[in-house]
Amino acid sequence: MDGSVDLKREAQARAYAEPLETLNPAQPELFATDAMWPYFDRLRAEAPVHYTPESDYGPFWSVTRYNDIMAVDTNHQVFSSADGITLQSLESKAEMAKRPTRSSFISMDPPKHDVQRRTVSPVVAPSNLQNMAPTIRERAGVILDALPIGETFDWVDLVSKELTAMTLATLFDFPFEERRKLTYWSDMMTNAPGFGPVKSWDHKREELDVCFSAFRELWNERIDAPPKFDLISMLAHGEATRDMDVHEFNGNLGLLIIGGNDTTRNTISGSVYALNKHPDQYDKLRADPSLIPSMVSETIRWQTPLAHMRRTATQDFELGGKAIREGDLVAMWYVSGNRDDSVIADPNAYVIDRERPRTHLSFGFGIHRCVGNRLAELQLTIIWEEILARFPHIELVEEPQRTHSVFVKGYETLRVRIPRRA
């Protein structure tokens, strides 16, 4: 019997055996084994606004239905980002207390959020994406043409990480030959000790100091040079950002590295996985490549590369009949809202010609909606246009190794084989 079926049955039994009052969906092991779904099924059905009194992240509220998540995400006056955007383990909080807080514009409320976001948004404006598209396409072709045919390889490493690292290096005007440092630093930021490349808290701190030092050098170079159209130059010369202190710069840097790396790379990997798990949809895509944009949106929903975003209540507030108190932590589980059958028909199915494929929560809503959402869609669209031009099929060889996290919902490895070229 398939071991993954056993795991899912066990998770289903556990999710419904536990008292509702103590149910806790914030368990990295559930996400690493793709076994969190019954927890969210139960919460949406029985307690769509739910309080977990004890967890590794402290007490928090879970919001699991689409419309309730929208209500929180679009009400930044009551649900603030200023105290952080993710559930943080108690161990992580203790570690962060040892070093200065690094805020970023996603962890700010207006008006400061607005002016800092406006500083970097031109780099992902439609006109600049149009300019970037030929470069992304050329690089995608180089990556795909170098893949081994008839051999098993890791798609995450050779394709997903490589394309996003190339694009991110361009956005930063970071030394191109050192682009995989960006991938490494992103993994250092998002993983806890014992997972990804992180060996210990000291190791994490040391490697991130190297990252921030490298970017401080780029800042110093660009602040003394004429303004250019890259993220570091924009921050260095922007009226609202040129005087930011080093910790705020580091915070914005971390946001841009993670935002430009993790989400896109995990959706690129997720598209290969989803199409293999739904071969009828893969057949449909091959027969009609004009469905690629729709498939991209459906993958972003189905994958949900960031499982949650967190807010902090600034005042007492009633949501879904529950009394949320000032200071309470509120987790918006995008991964659950994207499977809410009251808004999305047959949400567990992967349907690449879905009627409204952009109806999803993966980019967030309100003032913190993902600034790079169009760039993510562009990269996914281009890579699949180039894949279909080259390979009749990409075969999944084994189940992927998933990320051990309640925040980044992704893939550490995805072993595949390409039987032949077109």
Side-chain angles (χ1 to χ4, degrees), residues 342-384:
S342 70
V343 174
I344 301 167
D346 197 9
N348 293 317
Y350 179 74
V351 183
I352 67 168
D353 54 354
R354 192 177 284 277
E355 187 175 344
R356 292 185 299 143
R358 292 178 67 87
T359 300
H360 64 74
L361 296 161
S362 298
F363 292 132
F365 281 92
I367 63 168
H368 294 296
R369 182 169 173 81
C370 176
V371 70
N373 62 326
R374 296 294 183 182
L375 176 58
E377 292 172 336
L378 178 66
Q379 290 182 85
L380 282 153
T381 298
I382 287 174
I383 194 74
W384 270 101

Side-chain angles (χ1 to χ4, degrees), residues 115 199 300 333 354 389 411:
V115 293
K199 298 172 185 174
I300 292 168
W333 290 103
R354 192 177 284 277
Y411 305 88

Side-chain angles (χ1 to χ4, degrees), residues 281-298 352-354 357 380-382 384-386 388-389:
Q281 300 300 304
Y282 206 167
D283 291 342
K284 193 185 298 182
L285 185 67
R286 278 190 292 262
D288 184 3
S290 71
L291 290 173
I292 289 174
S294 174
M295 179 275 288
V296 164
S297 292
E298 174 69 347
I352 67 168
D353 54 354
R354 192 177 284 277
L380 282 153
T381 298
I382 287 174
W384 270 101
E385 287 172 349
E386 297 303 312
L388 291 182

Side-chain angles (χ1 to χ4, degrees), residues 145-404:
D145 287 339
L147 296 177
I149 303 301
E151 299 176 22
T152 298
F153 66 93
D154 180 11
W155 182 270
V156 173
D157 182 41
L158 295 192
V159 182
S160 301
K161 287 183 177 181
E162 187 65 1
L163 183 64
T164 50
M166 286 180 171
T167 303
L168 197 53
T170 301
L171 292 176
F172 282 128
D173 194 14
F174 187 83
F176 195 71
E177 65 281 1
E178 299 178 11
R179 61 190 176 275
R180 290 300 283 265
K181 288 183 178 179
L182 299 172
T183 307
Y184 174 72
W185 288 330
S186 181
D187 289 343
M188 290 299 301
M189 292 175 189
T190 57
N191 279 285
F195 300 97
V198 185
K199 298 172 185 174
S200 66
W201 288 114
D202 286 343
H203 180 227
K204 182 176 180 123
R205 198 180 313 117
E206 289 163 5
E207 293 300 307
L208 293 185
D209 284 344
V210 172
C211 168
F212 296 137
S213 295
F215 274 94
R216 176 52 57 176
E217 287 182 21
L218 294 179
W219 170 286
N220 291 337
E221 289 173 10
R222 287 172 202 174
I223 202 166
D224 294 328
K228 296 195 303 179
F229 208 70
D230 68 81
L231 288 168
I232 304 305
S233 186
M234 287 176 172
L235 290 171
H237 291 276
E239 186 176 348
T241 53
R242 63 190 178 206
D243 296 322
M244 68 171 68
D245 68 29
V246 63
H247 305 303
E248 197 168 304
F249 171 65
N250 291 346
N252 278 310
L253 181 64
L255 165 65
L256 294 168
I257 289 174
I258 295 168
N261 182 3
D262 270 310
T263 52
T264 304
R265 95 183 192 206
N266 286 317
T267 311
I268 292 173
S269 300
S271 62
V272 173
Y273 182 74
L275 288 166
N276 268 270
K277 289 297 181 179
H278 301 82
D280 60 320
Q281 300 300 304
Y282 206 167
D283 291 342
K284 193 185 298 182
L285 185 67
R286 278 190 292 262
D288 184 3
S290 71
L291 290 173
I292 289 174
S294 174
M295 179 275 288
V296 164
S297 292
E298 174 69 347
T299 304
I300 292 168
R301 177 197 71 84
W302 189 86
Q303 175 61 32
T304 315
L306 295 180
H308 81 272
M309 281 283 180
R310 191 259 288 177
R311 301 289 185 257
T312 304
T314 61
Q315 61 191 66
D316 292 353
F317 190 83
E318 184 174 307
L319 180 70
K322 300 295 178 67
I324 296 173
R325 301 299 181 193
E326 179 182 353
D328 284 356
L329 306 185
V330 179
M332 300 177 289
W333 290 103
Y334 293 160
V335 67
S336 174
N338 278 340
R339 301 296 178 102
D340 184 349
D341 63 6
S342 70
V343 174
I344 301 167
D346 197 9
N348 293 317
Y350 179 74
V351 183
I352 67 168
D353 54 354
R354 192 177 284 277
E355 187 175 344
R356 292 185 299 143
R358 292 178 67 87
T359 300
H360 64 74
L361 296 161
S362 298
F363 292 132
F365 281 92
I367 63 168
H368 294 296
R369 182 169 173 81
C370 176
V371 70
N373 62 326
R374 296 294 183 182
L375 176 58
E377 292 172 336
L378 178 66
Q379 290 182 85
L380 282 153
T381 298
I382 287 174
I383 194 74
W384 270 101
E385 287 172 349
E386 297 303 312
I387 287 170
L388 291 182
R390 286 168 172 79
F391 310 134
H393 190 56
I394 303 167
E395 294 178 354
L396 183 69
V397 172
E398 61 191 29
E399 281 296 300
Q401 178 188 350
R402 292 180 169 84
T403 305
H404 187 272

